[in-house]
C-alpha cells in the first residue's frame, strides 16, 4: 500500500511510531522518542528510511510544514469520536430487533400490561401485514397498544408512513401520547398544513400524520388526495363512526 500525507500536524501528534514529513530531508522519518520542553517546544529523536538517526527541537511555528504520513487503507483512529458514536448507535438500533423482540417496550416511557403485550407481540406483529380490528373494552389501553405497534414497526424498518384518523376531540390526545410516551412526532392535519402544500399532496409530504375524521369526510378534495397516497399503516380510532363506504 502507498503512503499519503495528511494536512498539518501539531506537536502533540509527534508521538513514538508516527511518520512525519518536514523534519529532515525530503522523505518521512519515524519518531523514536519525543520529549517536551515546555508547552510550545518538543525535542524529537527520529530515524529515516535508510536507518539513519537524528535529533531536532521543534517549535509551534514549525507545525505549518509538518505532515503526518499514513498508509492508505489503514485505520488511524483519529476520526471524530462523536461521529463514530452516532454511527455506531444508528447501527445498533438498526439491528437491535434481532436481539430484542420487544425493543419498543425498553425504548418507550410506558409499562405495558400483560394483555397489551399479548395483543401487540403475540397477535398483531406476527400477522403483519393484515387488516385487523382491535376491539378491547374502554380503558384497556388501545392507544398504548397502537403506539407500541407503530414504534416496533419503525424500529424494525417496516414502517415509514403512518396515518391515524381519529375523532376531532381526540387528535391532540393522540399526538401527545405518541410523542410523550413513544417519542413519535406526528403532525396534525390542519387547514394551514393543507394550505402549505398547495404545490403537492399534503399526504405525501408528511409521512407521520394524524387527521380528524370529520375533516376528511367533509372535504372531497382531501379524500381524492388521500386515495392517491400510500401508507404502510393506517389506524382508525373509533372506527364504528365510519360509514360503510
Amino acid at each position: 500500500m502507498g503512503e499519503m500525507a495528511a494536512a498539518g500536524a501539531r506537536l502533540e501528534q509527534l508521538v513514538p511510531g508516527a511518520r512525519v514529513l518536514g523534519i529532515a530531508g525530503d522523505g518521512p522519518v519515524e519518531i523514536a522518542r519525543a520529549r517536551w520542553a515546555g508547552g510550545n517546544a518538543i525535542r524529537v529523536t527520529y530515524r529515516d528510511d535508510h536507518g539513519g538517526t537524528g535529533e531536532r527541537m521543534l517549535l509551534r511555528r514549525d507545525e505549518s510544514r509538518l505532515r503526518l504520513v499514513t498508509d492508505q487503507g489503514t485505520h488511524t483512529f483519529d476520526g471524530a469520536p462523536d461521529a463514530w458514536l452516532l454511527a455506531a448507535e444508528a447501527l445498533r438500533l438498526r439491528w437491535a430487533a434481532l436481539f430484542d423482540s420487544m425493543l419498543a417496550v425498553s425504548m418507550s416511557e410506558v409499562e405495558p400490561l400483560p394483555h397489551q403485550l399479548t395483543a401487540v407481540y403475540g397477535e398483531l406483529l406476527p400477522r403483519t401485514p393484515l387488516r385487523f380490528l382491535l376491539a378491547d373494552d374502554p380503558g384497556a389501553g388501545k392507544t398504548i397498544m397502537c403506539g407500541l405497534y407503530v414504534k416496533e414497526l419503525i424500529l424494525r424498518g417496516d414502517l415509514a408512513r403512518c396515518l391515524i384518523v381519529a375523532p376531532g376531540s381526540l387528535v391532540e390526545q393522540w399526538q401527545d401520547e405518541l410523542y410523550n410516551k413513544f417519542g413519535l412526532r406526528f403532525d396534525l392535519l390542519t387547514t394551514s398544513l393543507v394550505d402549505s402544500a398547495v404545490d403537492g399532496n399534503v399526504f405525501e409530504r408528511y409521512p407521520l400524520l394524524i387527521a380528524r375524521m370529520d375533516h376528511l369526510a367533509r372535504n372531497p378534495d382531501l379524500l381524492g388526495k388521500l386515495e392517491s397516497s400510500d401508507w404502510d399503516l393506517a389506524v382508525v380510532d373509533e372506527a364504528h363512526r365510519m360509514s360503510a363506504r
Side-chain angles (χ1 to χ4, degrees), residues 4 8 36 51 58 178 205 207 234:
M4 66 177 186
W36 283 93
L58 297 170
L178 291 172
R205 178 171 294 186

Side-chain angles (χ1 to χ4, degrees), residues 124-141:
L124 304 184
L125 284 168
R127 300 185 187 184
T128 301
L130 85 164
R131 293 185 178 185
F132 56 84
L133 179 67
L134 187 59
D136 282 336
D137 294 333

Side-chain angles (χ1 to χ4, degrees), residues 141-156:
K142 294 185 288 296
T143 306
I144 297 298
M145 299 182 213
C146 178
L148 279 176
Y149 183 64
V150 172
K151 183 72 174 278
E152 194 70 53
L153 288 177
I154 290 176
L155 291 173
R156 297 183 183 190

